[in-house]
Amino acid sequence: MSIFFNCKYSIEDLEQFRDEKGFIDLTKTGIEFTRETREEAGNPSRAKNWINFQGIQALIKGEAIREEEPNYGIYAELIAEEVAKQVGQKTAHYDLIKFLGEDGAYHLGVLSVSVLEASNEQLVTLRDIIGDEPEETSDFIDTTDYEFTVTKLEKELRNDGYDEENIARVITEYKKRLVFLLAVLETDQHTENIAFKECKVEGRNRIELSPNYDRESAFLLDNDISTIKSLLEDYVGLRESVDRAHPRIGILKTIEEGGFESYWKDTFEALCEDDEIYDYYEESIRGAIDIEVAMESVEQRIKAPLPEDVKLLVKHAYRIRNEQMEKIMDGEMEIEEQVDISMLFRLINNQGIAASIRTGEQMQVGKTMQRDILSMEKGRESDTREDKEDFTI
């Protein structure tokens, strides 16, 4: 375990060191990054140190720079935090920081307050609990099968002696977290970035999902800045990038199996087969997220405007993804031209039977199919035209 560098300032005191772009200058606080305070896990070329701010423990993390290309991932942390608050997800608190590196230049990053709130709490990752997925059963590259995580998590928690009520609550909260991550296009929440807090309550072991953390890949903001600028000039390319923003925990079904052949779409559909998760999406996410308000809240906190490219990318990427999520929930499907109508009917029918879709949803699917089949091409042209018209600053 790393030791903490003891800072003479509190978290609240740091506000006096914030610059005109919203970054807290940690160099002015006297903080030193040493080998002893360094987080043991993570990229050794990236600053990652623990600081004690007058009793509040926080991790200082430098921004991720891939192949010397900067990105906007640090802003993703703050925006995703505000969205999490809107949808009832527990979330770690983040702030923007900068510091003078050994090279004599300033580096950007984030400050993340520890998610552990009590001395008797212990943080364990999903990977700590379930281990790795057997290679011979995995159809994914760098992605863990969703069904494996749920089945193994439930089994291991039962083996560890947690009561059934506690287990059921943890599984439900885990599924809700995955839906939230899909909504914000987070693509790096692998099994080591999802964690649980263990503690004893009145002599009994208790476990709960930890607050969400490490979301710098949300909203496509982990792309390098030059790529982001290109996407903002190419709406078709942006839509394709949104559709390729797949989770690190997911499920894949072929079209013949009633799937979309898309990690995130199949994962979302599988999650919402649970009635409680279906209700969570409909009541807490669908139409409940105001992405503009989330970004305004960040600007109020950092007392500075977000970069314009950040706001544009988040606005459009979020809208595209969540329109697609709504279409899936409404039984609408984006059908490729090469899929013939008879095959389409078979696939829809098989998918409805396999998923035990509610009666009301089945009726909606039928109505949507009839409308879409008759005006498929016209609708596509109209949607594309409207999207492009709104793709402006």
Side-chain angles (χ1 to χ4, degrees):
M1 175 65 184
S2 305
I3 64 173
F4 291 84
F5 179 89
N6 292 310
C7 181
K8 63 181 179 180
Y9 296 101
S10 68
I11 289 286
E12 291 75 17
D13 292 335
L14 298 181
E15 196 60 43
Q16 64 186 295
F17 304 111
R18 195 182 296 278
D19 69 12
E20 70 282 356
K21 293 185 177 181
F23 291 84
I24 297 170
D25 188 347
L26 293 182
T27 302
K28 294 181 179 179
T29 69
I31 288 176
E32 298 177 7
F33 295 161
T34 68
R35 181 177 299 178
E36 290 75 22
T37 64
R38 179 170 178 78
E39 167 65 53
E40 297 173 357
N43 186 342
S45 64
R46 183 180 183 184
K48 209 172 184 182
N49 294 73
W50 285 101
I51 311 295
N52 179 13
F53 293 98
Q54 298 295 298
I56 301 296
Q57 299 171 348
L59 181 67
I60 301 301
K61 186 168 64 173
E63 65 179 334
I65 298 179
R66 303 178 181 88
E67 299 179 358
E68 300 184 355
E69 283 274 8
N71 58 54
Y72 288 130
I74 53 178
Y75 293 105
E77 299 278 24
L78 278 70
I79 298 169
E81 176 185 348
E82 294 302 321
V83 174
K85 293 175 184 177
Q86 292 184 11
V87 301
Q89 285 286 325
K90 293 181 179 179
T91 175
H93 174 62
Y94 282 83
D95 211 332
L96 299 178
I97 55 95
K98 67 179 184 179
F99 55 90
L100 203 59
E102 295 180 359
D103 56 1
Y106 266 100
H107 296 264
L108 306 180
V110 289
L111 175 155
S112 172
V113 175
S114 173
V115 297
L116 296 177
E117 301 171 315
S119 59
N120 68 332
E121 291 181 339
Q122 179 181 355
L123 197 69
V124 294
T125 69
L126 178 59
R127 186 171 184 265
D128 291 333
I129 298 174
I130 69 173
D132 293 321
E133 182 184 6
E135 291 185 10
E136 62 272 16
T137 64
S138 176
D139 293 325
F140 297 88
I141 299 174
D142 206 27
T143 303
T144 304
D145 180 62
Y146 158 70
E147 297 288 358
F148 165 77
T149 66
V150 172
T151 302
K152 190 70 180 292
L153 179 59
E154 186 173 5
K155 176 183 176 182
E156 293 302 321
L157 293 182
R158 190 168 289 118
N159 289 341
D160 289 340
Y162 292 102
D163 65 62
E164 293 300 317
E165 182 180 351
N166 193 181
I167 294 173
R169 183 168 60 253
V170 166
I171 296 294
T172 296
E173 292 305 311
Y174 169 62
K175 292 179 180 179
K176 289 180 179 179
R177 174 67 50 79
L178 295 183
V179 171
F180 160 71
L181 295 172
L182 290 174
V184 299
L185 293 83
E186 170 51 57
T187 60
D188 197 39
Q189 289 282 300
H190 49 75
T191 57
E192 290 183 312
N193 275 346
I194 292 180
F196 303 82
K197 294 197 294 185
E198 296 178 329
C199 66
K200 282 188 178 292
V201 178
E202 298 179 352
R204 301 185 65 181
N205 291 330
R206 307 296 293 172
I207 188 169
E208 64 180 53
L209 187 66
S210 84
N212 182 229
Y213 62 89
D214 211 343
R215 304 155 304 217
E216 64 190 10
S217 297
F219 303 112
L220 305 181
L221 288 173
D222 60 333
N223 283 290
D224 59 75
I225 293 175
S226 59
T227 297
I228 289 173
K229 289 184 178 297
S230 296
L231 289 175
L232 290 174
E233 295 175 354
D234 176 13
Y235 188 73
V236 173
L238 177 57
R239 287 188 68 90
E240 291 174 350
S241 293
V242 169
D243 204 44
R244 290 195 302 267
H246 296 300
R248 292 287 299 276
I249 297 173
I251 190 169
L252 176 65
K253 294 188 293 185
T254 65
I255 290 180
E256 289 74 18
E257 294 170 327
F260 297 100
E261 286 197 326
S262 174
Y263 287 173
W264 84 260
K265 292 177 183 176
D266 291 320
T267 304
F268 178 58
E269 187 177 57
L271 284 163
C272 290
E273 289 174 0
D274 182 322
D275 284 351
E276 195 164 354
I277 307 307
Y278 173 94
D279 292 339
Y280 169 69
Y281 170 77
E282 289 289 343
E283 296 168 6
S284 299
I285 292 184
R286 181 169 184 163
I289 296 175
D290 191 324
I291 201 68
E292 300 279 4
V293 168
M295 291 190 286
E296 288 171 4
S297 296
V298 172
E299 291 179 324
Q300 291 170 7
R301 285 208 286 121
I302 66 175
K303 297 179 174 61
L306 290 166
E308 200 63 30
D309 285 349
V310 168
K311 292 195 286 188
L312 279 171
L313 184 66
V314 171
K315 171 187 172 182
H316 291 294
Y318 167 78
R319 189 192 67 180
I320 293 168
R321 168 57 58 90
N322 282 270
E323 284 179 351
Q324 292 173 331
M325 293 175 77
E326 290 180 7
K327 287 182 179 180
I328 292 172
M329 292 299 281
D330 291 341
E332 299 179 8
M333 295 181 66
E334 295 182 1
I335 305 160
E336 297 296 332
E337 290 183 16
Q338 66 266 27
V339 178
D340 62 49
I341 299 302
S342 61
M343 177 188 231
L344 170 63
F345 273 91
R346 289 199 305 273
L347 294 179
I348 292 291
N349 184 55
N350 291 339
Q351 187 176 357
I353 293 172
S356 300
I357 298 176
R358 302 173 184 182
T359 303
E361 292 178 74
Q362 289 176 334
M363 292 177 64
Q364 181 62 42
V365 169
K367 292 177 181 178
T368 301
M369 285 172 57
Q370 184 181 34
R371 183 180 66 246
D372 286 354
I373 290 169
L374 294 176
S375 60
M376 190 184 305
E377 292 305 318
K378 182 179 178 181
R380 280 183 179 177
E381 292 173 1
S382 175
D383 288 344
T384 301
R385 184 168 56 254
E386 290 176 5
D387 287 340
K388 288 182 177 179
E389 288 173 356
D390 190 40
F391 194 56
T392 59
I393 294 178

